[in-house]
Amino acid sequence: MPITLEILEEATALRAHLTSLKTPDAIRAATALHHTCSLFLTNDHSFLRVPNLSIGILDDLTDHQEV
């Protein structure tokens, strides 16, 4: 998906409020928000602090499955 000026502005706002989020991660989160992503899968718990972003932590999902 292309990175638009609107996405970059949202990423900048996320970085301003969530300083633990690195710039590439802020762009990923802003892109997901912009495109109304229904579930953002990651192992990075810092994304849990992004408002309005539905997060799935991969380790949490795999811990409950039987081998």
Side-chain angles (χ1 to χ4, degrees):
M1 293 181 190
I3 298 172
T4 64
L5 180 58
E6 185 177 349
I7 289 171
L8 291 176
E9 289 171 346
E10 176 68 21
T12 301
L14 288 172
R15 285 274 297 138
H17 294 87
L18 305 171
T19 55
S20 68
L21 213 56
K22 304 231 185 284
T23 300
D25 290 337
I27 292 170
R28 289 180 190 100
T31 301
L33 290 168
H34 179 77
H35 293 285
T36 58
C37 176
S38 59
L39 184 63
F40 188 91
L41 295 174
T42 184
N43 267 330
D44 187 342
H45 287 81
S46 63
F47 283 100
L48 291 170
R49 297 181 21 198
V50 177
N52 303 315
L53 186 60
S54 178
I55 300 293
I57 301 295
L58 291 169
D59 282 343
D60 293 347
L61 298 173
T62 57
D63 285 346
H64 296 31
Q65 295 191 9
E66 294 183 29
V67 178

